[in-house]
Amino acid sequence: MPGFRDLLGATKQRIREIDPASAEARLSDATFLDVREQDEYEQGTIPDALFIPRGHLEAQIENRLPDKDQPIVVYCAGGVRSAFAADTLQDLGYTDVQSMVGGFGRWKNEGRDWITPAVLNPEQRNRYGRHLLLPEVGEAGQQRLLESKVLLLGAGGLGSPAALYLAAAGVGTLGIVDMDVVDASNLQRQILHNVDRIGERKVDSAKKTLTELNPDVDVVTYDVRLGADNVLEVIDGYDVVVDGTDNFPTRYLLNDASLLQRIPVVHGSIFRFEGQATVFKPYEGPCYRCLLPEPPPPELAPSCAEAGVLGVLPGIIGSIQALETIKLLLDLGDPLIGRLLAYDALEESFRTFKVRRDPACPTCGADAPPIVIAEYDDLCLPHATLVDAGASAH
């Protein structure tokens, strides 16, 4: 009867092995696959390695690494489990697999680069378990979300659903700008708040709701008027800004500031039964002024206070804004850069329109003068073509 050593020897005859020095030379072109257990991984790993414990390899590898021609260097602690893993990968159709002799122990002892990875605790693995099952997110993506910072302009109709879903997703820092108080008329659509909070500052109400939803999230509040005197300071350090404002002056001000700081803006707007969403990524797609060089006359842009809005509509558009934000943070899919998504609730239809950068744009065009942060209050009355139902960052 063959024993373990015979089985291991036969396995090594079927696979290719590589020493740590040669493996290090493949860091730029091969995927390094760590097949150790969770507790071993937490103590140290090779930077950018893909972690799949040996016991889950067959079930997870094809979702996590669908390209079967991608070069793979497999390693464990000492080179035994990685040999069996390499044999399994070959059986699954992977064409360029090598097992690292001596494993992570030899790699580390020879003084090669390694890190102690940031890992989720057991409570976080349970909370974000459905994210972890997605190959496009996984533990690395969830860690990225927890390290991300998103600023929401407005805790109203659009800011409410966006904030709730971003907090639930585990975005580590959420900033909220709003200088209004909760009013009974807000509760038809602004789901961050409730009847017990009427009269409270909206930022305080929002912080209570979000921290109760997810204690992982640090909610930073700005109970201020967003203006030329503070916009650069407020948005500084954030990865993405979610725009739920309801007036042209603030949108143009945000546009200028985001271009200067090169921070993408996820824009949303609603009116009656219609909504819009797009992403303004500085100098990669159009900016807000490319889309709307000049505000329309006030008589052509009545506010929601004048014309009304269906309460569920901001939930739809705000959720789209949250989704686009997560796509930007994780570099997923095709964000709405250069595309305007228009939603009609009565028809239950979505239409997408291409929006191109304006070469002559006065803010992002090739010949645009240096951006100067200034107030735009003289542009128009506080209306918008499509506006948020209750945000008040301005």
Side-chain angles (χ1 to χ4, degrees), residues 50 63 82 93 132 139 147 156 171 220 246 263 290 324 334 369:
L50 175 63
N63 284 332
S82 63
L132 304 185
E139 185 152 343
E147 295 165 3
V171 173
V220 181
D246 64 355
I263 301 172
C290 294
E324 289 298 306
D334 186 13

Side-chain angles (χ1 to χ4, degrees), residues 270-281:
I270 56 174
F271 178 68
R272 290 176 57 83
F273 300 98
E274 300 175 12
Q276 296 179 350
T278 190
V279 173
F280 300 119
K281 192 167 186 182

Side-chain angles (χ1 to χ4, degrees), residues 145-151 171-175 217-220 238:
L145 290 177
L146 287 164
E147 295 165 3
S148 296
K149 300 178 68 177
V150 174
L151 180 69
V171 173
T173 301
L174 289 178
V217 178
D218 178 24
V219 181
V220 181
Y238 285 95

